[in-house]
């Protein structure tokens, strides 16, 4: 809806809306035999390995939310464009949140402009994170089999261990960019970004249920509470903050080549990940290391795309990844002492396109046409499970992929 303001260079464009959302998460109780205390039980109630979901965890769990937003944009002057947006959302499961976005663009000359955005965001806890209750069998440091459960934050077990209601993850984002049309055929854009996410959700635990905890659970009326002594329990909590900052650079230029146009597109991204304010007994040192180092710091992409007015076209793309590092994940000792660096690689993609007539065209191409694979998997356990190459590779570990595509445009 345009609104005219006399002193502005253009009308104010106003958009608004409302939304209602209902999410349902359903758990069905497991087979009775899988959740019962048999005539001889050593490790706990129910089947070993993975017990069925107990009756108290079964049900349909709803998360309702209602929201409203307004979005405005206008040209304050012939050179300055300003936009603003506001969104309010109310969740019955954790409360409400208000977020905003403020953006601006200033055209200094016909060929150069600066742009920037400041915004906030959120991610609500899912019904699954709020309500999941399941128990498996795991091994302690001595190799003894013990029950290990994940409990909702309002479950008596989680409450005894200090669980509190989950809050939404909240983000803050700042970007600043420049757009420069160097000539009729050359364009350059540079964008710097800084994104912080607070209160990220993680599992708290595992925690060993003590004799005192078991006694408190028995006093609260929890069935078979004595059997929980010595078992492990986890629950979701707001466990850590993270921040990523980096820069994106894009350069595009076109050339006339024979009877067609050749587009040269060069893009580079560099970024830095940081994990902060980790709550004790949530993510360990190995997990922090992986979050900060599993993504390469640098990636460069160069694309040559050729298009003719006739029947032929195609592209050649070079993807260069810098090195990255990772630990053994689930099999890591937890202190990042097993961290290993994988070398960077150059991946080549290509495609040839053919226009048969006004309706039909086809293309043949490949991704990673030289079948480049990442370095060998360094983790011994993953190697035993059949992982020959690094499963954390940013370009996958399946090698080359070829395709043939037929298009019909009626």
């Amino acid at each position: 809806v345009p609104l005219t303001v006399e002193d502005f260079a253009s009308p104010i464009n106003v958009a608004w809306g409302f939304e209602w959302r209902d999410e349902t998460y359903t758990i069905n109780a497991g087979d009775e035999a899988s959740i019962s205390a048999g005539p001889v039980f050593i490790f706990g109630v129910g089947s070993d390995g993975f017990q069925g979901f107990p009756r108290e965890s079964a049900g349909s769990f709803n998360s309702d939310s209602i929201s409203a937003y307004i979005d405005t944009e206008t040209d304050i002057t012939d050179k300055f464009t300003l936009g603003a947006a506001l969104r309010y959302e109310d969740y019955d499961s954790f409360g409400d949140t208000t977020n905003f976005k403020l953006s601006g663009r200033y055209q200094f000359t016909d060929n150069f402009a600066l742009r920037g955005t400041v915004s906030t965001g959120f991610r609500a806890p899912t019904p699954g994170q709020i309500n999941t209750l399941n128990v498996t069998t795991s091994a302690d440091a001595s190799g003894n089999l013990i029950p290990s459960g994940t409990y909702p934050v309002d479950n008596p077990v989680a409450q005894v261990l200090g669980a509190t209601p989950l809050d939404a993850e909240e983000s803050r984002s700042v970007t600043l960019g420049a757009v420069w049309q160097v000539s009729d055929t050359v364009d350059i854009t540079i964008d710097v970004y800084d994104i912080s996410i607070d209160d990220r959700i993680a599992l708290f635990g595992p925690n060993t249920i003590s004799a005192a905890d078991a006694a408190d659970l028995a006093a609260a009326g929890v069935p078979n509470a004595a059997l929980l002594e010595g078992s492990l329990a986890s629950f979701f909590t707001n466990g850590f903050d993270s921040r990523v900052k980096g820069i994106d650079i894009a350069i595009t230029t076109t050339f006339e080549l024979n009877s067609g146009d050749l587009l040269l597109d060069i893009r580079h991204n560099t970024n830095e990940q940081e994990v902060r304010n980790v709550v004790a007994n949530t993510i360990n040192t190995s997990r922090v290391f992986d979050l900060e180092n599993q993504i390469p710091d640098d990636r460069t992409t160069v694309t040559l795309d050729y298009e003719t007015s006739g029947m032929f076209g195609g592209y050649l793309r070079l993807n260069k990844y810098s090195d990255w590092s990772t630990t053994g994940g689930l099999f890591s000792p937890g202190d990042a002492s097993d961290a290993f660096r994988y070398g960077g690689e150059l991946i080549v993609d290509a495609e040839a396109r053919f226009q048969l007539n006004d309706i039909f065209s086809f293309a043949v191409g490949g991704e990673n046409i030289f079948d480049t694979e990442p370095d060998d998997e360094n983790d011994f356990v993953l190697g035993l499970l059949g992982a020959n190459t690094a499963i954390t590779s940013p370009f996958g570990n399946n090698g080359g992929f070829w395709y043939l595509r037929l298009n019909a445009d009626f």
Side-chain angles (χ1 to χ4, degrees), residues 388-399:
N388 297 321
T389 57
I391 64 173
T392 55
S393 166
F395 52 87
N397 59 356
N398 293 318

Side-chain angles (χ1 to χ4, degrees), residues 91-369:
Y91 279 80
D92 63 358
S93 57
F94 78 90
D96 60 357
T97 178
T98 301
N99 294 278
F100 74 90
K101 177 180 179 180
L102 183 65
S103 62
R105 187 179 189 276
Y106 194 86
Q107 190 78 37
F108 287 89
T109 69
D110 291 341
N111 300 321
F112 182 79
L114 288 180
R115 60 191 180 190
T117 301
V118 178
S119 64
T120 62
F122 74 99
R123 174 187 173 273
T126 67
Q129 290 172 327
I130 296 173
N131 299 288
T132 293
L133 191 166
N134 71 323
V135 180
T136 63
T137 300
S138 62
D140 62 14
S142 301
N144 300 312
L145 297 177
I146 54 176
S148 179
T150 300
Y151 297 87
V153 293
D154 61 355
N155 185 275
V157 174
Q159 290 289 305
V160 163
L161 296 172
T164 57
L166 291 173
D167 290 326
E169 299 178 347
E170 297 183 343
S171 67
R172 299 179 302 279
S173 174
V174 179
T175 64
L176 179 64
V179 181
W180 182 23
Q181 187 177 8
V182 180
S183 67
D184 291 340
T185 59
V186 179
D187 294 288
I188 299 175
T189 63
I190 301 176
D191 290 285
V192 179
Y193 57 87
D194 190 329
I195 304 170
S196 296
I197 306 177
D198 295 338
D199 297 326
R200 294 186 63 174
I201 296 174
L203 275 176
F204 183 86
N207 311 272
T208 301
I209 298 177
S210 66
D213 295 331
D216 290 339
L217 292 171
V222 175
N224 301 309
L227 298 176
L228 293 173
E229 181 181 346
S231 66
L232 303 177
S234 302
F235 53 86
F236 286 103
T237 190
N238 297 101
F240 64 100
D241 303 335
S242 67
R243 181 184 183 186
V244 57
K245 53 185 177 180
I247 182 170
D248 285 324
I249 302 173
I251 303 172
T252 59
T253 182
T254 57
F255 307 91
E256 291 185 3
L257 183 61
N258 293 331
S259 59
D261 293 320
L262 178 65
L263 170 68
L264 172 61
D265 187 303
I266 303 173
R267 297 175 185 267
H268 179 78
N269 168 259
T270 182
N271 70 85
E272 178 183 343
Q273 311 272 344
E274 180 186 7
V275 175
R276 305 177 294 182
N277 303 324
V278 178
V279 175
N281 205 26
T282 55
I283 58 175
N284 58 30
T285 303
S286 291
R287 180 58 176 155
V288 171
F289 183 91
D290 289 344
L291 289 171
E292 292 182 337
N293 296 279
Q294 276 188 345
I295 298 176
D297 289 343
D298 296 281
R299 179 186 177 183
T300 303
T301 303
V302 178
T303 303
L304 291 167
D305 193 310
Y306 184 61
E307 192 73 49
T308 70
S309 57
M311 62 172 294
F312 176 74
Y315 70 79
L316 175 69
R317 178 176 296 125
L318 309 178
N319 303 279
K320 180 64 173 71
Y321 296 86
S322 65
D323 59 276
W324 77 97
S325 301
T326 185
T327 67
L330 293 175
F331 306 106
S332 174
D335 59 1
S337 60
D338 60 337
F340 184 79
R341 184 178 68 85
Y342 294 94
E345 296 287 357
L346 176 65
I347 307 300
V348 181
D349 306 330
E351 180 182 276
R353 301 183 295 268
F354 301 91
Q355 187 72 40
L356 300 180
N357 52 41
D358 292 340
I359 297 177
F360 293 103
S361 64
F362 76 93
V364 58
E367 299 176 5
N368 191 0
I369 61 174

